[in-house]
Amino acid sequence: MVCLGNICRSPLAEGIMQQKINARSLNAETYSSGTSNYHISEPADPRTIAIARRHGVDITTHRVTQFKADDFDKYDMIFVMDNSNMKSVLRLARTESDYKKVRLIMSAISDRKSMEVPDPYYSDKEGFELVYNMLDEACEKIADELENL
Ligand code: 4NP
């Protein structure tokens, strides 16, 4: 799960996805990072921690990392939140196989192939709730995909 800062969208996506993996006992693990180095080693944004907690997801142990080329070797699926993240991640792709791993997270839902998850950093509580709902829906579909692999 990749966003810009790794403090709002992607740690929330990671927490939601891990919860669904656990609930379905799937043989998978999830991780998140950011394309920027703005917040390296920091915890998630307090508003992200709060919205996650409200939905029973604990992301207090999260610490920011930056996406790097060898993450293509570690992960089978790379979900980005928006087109800007997509561009930054694809710039680091080395092979066709790396390239093919990267998808917009909302494209997991069949009628939302090009939808972006908005950056909630400058928004209010409603912005975080909207992002939570979008990610919850996308992660549910990803969990279905994993179950059917
Ligand atoms: P995120 O949100 O990419 O969802 O973690 C942002 C967090 C921080 C900044 C931008 C977006 N920033 O500019 O510091």
Side-chain angles (χ1 to χ4, degrees):
M1 302 300 186
V2 181
C3 63
L4 175 63
N6 194 214
I7 58 171
C8 297
R9 292 165 292 177
S10 62
L12 190 55
E14 179 189 349
I16 293 169
M17 193 68 238
Q18 192 62 55
Q19 194 191 47
K20 294 187 190 298
I21 287 169
N22 296 346
R24 299 191 194 199
S25 302
L26 297 172
N27 181 21
E29 55 183 282
T30 182
Y31 190 69
S32 70
S33 62
T35 58
S36 76
N37 61 4
Y38 305 156
H39 298 279
I40 286 178
S41 298
E42 291 177 23
D45 186 286
R47 297 166 297 175
T48 316
I49 293 174
I51 191 91
R53 184 186 298 120
R54 221 164 19 249
H55 292 277
V57 180
D58 179 9
I59 58 166
T60 52
T61 59
H62 172 75
R63 294 295 178 271
V64 171
T65 58
Q66 186 174 19
F67 184 86
K68 45 193 182 326
D70 66 7
D71 288 327
F72 285 111
D73 302 324
K74 293 189 193 158
Y75 303 103
D76 299 313
M77 297 174 162
I78 297 170
F79 294 102
V80 296
M81 303 295 138
D82 63 31
N83 291 321
S84 170
N85 310 149
M86 174 79 86
K87 215 165 142 184
S88 305
V89 167
L90 290 182
R91 207 176 288 132
L92 296 173
R94 305 148 304 176
T95 61
E96 184 69 20
S97 153
D98 288 356
Y99 204 90
K100 283 186 181 155
K101 289 183 178 182
V102 189
R103 297 157 59 185
L104 277 173
I105 190 166
M106 295 311 294
S107 75
I109 303 167
S110 53
D111 62 350
R112 307 211 194 142
K113 289 292 174 208
S114 56
M115 187 184 274
E116 300 181 288
V117 180
D119 180 353
Y121 192 58
Y122 296 104
S123 79
D124 51 15
K125 207 168 138 185
E126 281 69 41
F128 280 81
E129 191 67 43
L130 171 80
V131 165
Y132 176 87
N133 289 331
M134 291 177 80
L135 293 175
D136 186 56
E137 208 180 335
C139 289
E140 193 66 28
K141 295 289 182 194
I142 296 167
D144 290 344
E145 270 184 47
L146 293 175
E147 205 158 72
N148 293 318
L149 277 181

